Amino acid sequence: MAKITTAQLLKMKQKGEKITALTAYDASFAKLFADAGVEVILIGDSLGMVLQGHSDTLPVTTAEIAYHTRCVRAGAPLAFVIADMPFMSYATVEQAMHNATPLMQAGANMVKLEGGDFLLPTIKALTERGIPVCGHLGLTPQSVHVFGGFKVQGRDEQAANLMVQQAIALQDAGAQLLVVECIPSALAERISKALVIPVIGIGAGKDTDGQILVMHDLLGISSGYIPKFSKNFLQETGEIKQAIGKYIQDVKQGQFPGPEHSF
């Protein structure tokens, strides 16, 4: 596999070719995913829940994300690697620049930030200084206590219109990728069509430019519960490599997510 770049991801969107993405936190799984053909690997702050056993993502630190980013990069030297910026690590522009630096030095191609309009100066400052940014709208897990739980966002017309405006604003500020999480399928499609940059969905229907899942959900090994928007591909295939292959195939062919995984 050739090295994946933002230019290649943009070409995939333009050609209508679906982008596949998974979270990974170590070299072994990162290599497995990259070798199978997954284009994008995210070191998600989801590690706070699936690796550390917390009830949310808030306790995760920048140093922990940097450590796991180094592990993932070692296993997948050609993949496009995105590192989550943890809770309150980008509350100001200065904080964002300070905390994004070790993530890029650890091997990330891009950092991901959750939120809308308040991030515009931060995204502009980061990209001007050579740090590519992925935005994240919809259910933003770092705001779980504001939302009152993990709830679908953008259900009413006013909220949907605001999210489209925010997505365009993030793109205009310099974001080169956008993740939308737990939003109605019709809204996700609308955002994907409104933006030039690729839009990756999770719990956002099949009409985004790509899909991402937490690897533990895909393999059915998450503690607690498997979200509605996920699917246990290991149960279906019985073997990890086959499960990853089936996930890639189903995303590329537009068969995953199905209506049962969407809102």
Side-chain angles (χ1 to χ4, degrees):
M1 182 172 81
K3 191 171 182 66
I4 306 295
T5 64
T6 49
Q8 282 174 285
L9 297 175
L10 184 59
K11 280 182 184 174
M12 289 178 71
K13 169 168 180 144
Q14 291 166 348
K15 291 178 180 177
E17 183 183 344
K18 297 288 187 181
I19 298 163
T20 57
L22 285 171
T23 66
Y25 316 95
D26 65 33
S28 298
F29 274 108
K31 184 178 190 311
L32 180 68
F33 298 162
D35 287 352
V38 173
E39 290 93 10
V40 177
I41 298 177
L42 170 70
I43 298 88
D45 57 6
S46 49
L47 70 86
M49 301 171 79
V50 297
L51 298 189
Q52 298 174 339
H54 298 301
S55 60
D56 54 43
T57 64
L58 273 56
V60 177
T61 66
T62 301
E64 289 166 345
I65 295 283
Y67 167 80
H68 288 282
T69 300
R70 283 195 297 275
C71 295
V72 165
R73 177 52 78 199
L78 300 179
F80 192 83
V81 172
I82 304 174
D84 262 347
M85 293 197 68
F87 177 66
M88 289 301 285
S89 67
Y90 50 96
T92 66
V93 172
E94 291 72 22
Q95 270 187 316
M97 288 191 287
H98 175 76
N99 290 313
T101 301
L103 302 184
M104 297 297 290
Q105 290 172 333
N109 298 108
M110 179 176 272
V111 296
K112 182 164 76 64
L113 294 73
E114 297 181 6
D117 293 343
F118 80 94
L119 283 178
L120 301 181
T122 301
I123 292 171
K124 190 169 186 293
L126 288 172
T127 54
E128 283 175 350
R129 289 159 178 81
I131 300 177
V133 173
C134 174
H136 186 153
L137 291 173
L139 172 58
T140 46
Q142 291 174 14
S143 302
V144 62
H145 296 305
V146 175
F147 294 146
F150 295 97
K151 297 178 178 179
V152 178
Q153 303 297 308
R155 282 194 186 273
D156 64 75
E157 187 178 359
Q158 184 179 358
N161 290 340
L162 177 60
M163 202 177 299
V164 173
Q165 291 168 14
Q166 289 182 332
I168 294 168
L170 293 176
Q171 174 181 264
D172 291 348
Q176 290 177 280
L177 211 62
L178 178 67
V179 169
V180 289
E181 180 171 356
C182 281
I183 65 173
S185 301
L187 173 57
E189 180 181 13
R190 188 176 155 199
I191 290 171
S192 301
K193 287 180 175 176
L195 298 190
V196 173
I197 62 173
V199 177
I200 310 293
I202 177 166
K206 67 181 178 62
D207 294 313
T208 51
D209 304 306
Q211 298 292 329
I212 186 166
L213 284 179
V214 174
M215 57 166 276
H216 292 68
D217 292 345
L218 179 143
L219 298 174
I221 55 174
S222 291
S223 58
Y225 81 108
I226 302 294
K228 171 187 171 170
F229 54 74
S230 190
K231 180 181 177 181
N232 184 345
F233 284 87
L234 182 59
Q235 186 177 42
E236 186 175 332
T237 59
E239 201 269 332
I240 290 178
K241 282 187 179 178
Q242 290 180 19
I244 305 311
K246 186 72 166 69
Y247 167 69
I248 294 170
Q249 176 185 307
D250 285 4
V251 171
K252 297 285 187 188
Q253 296 177 354
Q255 295 174 340
F256 177 82
E260 68 273 26
H261 310 112
S262 307
F263 302 100

